[in-house]
């Protein structure tokens, strides 16, 4: 009889482990999804920052050009 109780405990433990693995997989999927979102946001911010830097450089160049022209007049 104790043998069957031992087997029953092993079966219960196996089911618990399976459930925990399912939860781990769900969490892993959610983490992956969030990581993809973060990567997408980072790439968008990086591109916009690059565009801003180019715009800023163009503005600085125009300012230098206006200052040169102001001294020529």
């Amino acid at each position: 009889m104790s043998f069957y109780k031992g087997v029953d405990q092993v079966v219960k433990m196996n089911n618990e482990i399976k459930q925990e693995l399912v939860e781990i997989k769900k969490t892993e999927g959610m983490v992956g999804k969030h990581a993809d979102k973060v990567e997408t946001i980072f790439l968008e911010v990086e591109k916009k920052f690059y565009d801003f830097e180019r715009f800023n450089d163009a503005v600085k160049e125009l300012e230098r050009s206006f200052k040169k022209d102001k001294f020529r007049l």
Side-chain angles (χ1 to χ4, degrees):
M1 195 66 169
S2 66
F3 174 75
Y4 291 112
K5 286 183 182 179
V7 171
D8 189 42
Q9 289 296 341
V10 170
V11 169
K12 284 182 184 179
M13 203 163 50
N14 183 35
N15 289 336
E16 289 175 8
I17 290 172
K18 283 181 184 178
Q19 187 61 32
E20 288 177 15
L21 283 174
V22 167
E23 292 299 318
I24 289 170
K25 289 292 183 182
K26 285 180 185 177
T27 303
E28 183 181 13
M30 194 180 318
V31 167
K33 194 164 59 169
H34 290 314
D36 289 344
K37 285 182 182 179
V38 168
E39 182 180 14
T40 300
I41 291 169
F42 175 78
L43 291 174
E44 288 175 8
V45 168
E46 187 177 43
K47 181 184 180 307
K48 288 179 182 180
F49 183 74
Y50 174 74
D51 291 342
F52 173 78
E53 285 292 316
R54 285 188 350 180
F55 175 76
N56 195 30
D57 290 343
V59 168
K60 286 179 182 178
E61 186 61 37
L62 283 172
E63 285 177 345
R64 282 191 288 266
S65 175
F66 288 141
K67 286 179 182 178
K68 285 181 185 177
D69 289 342
K70 183 178 179 182
F71 290 121
R72 287 185 191 171
L73 296 175

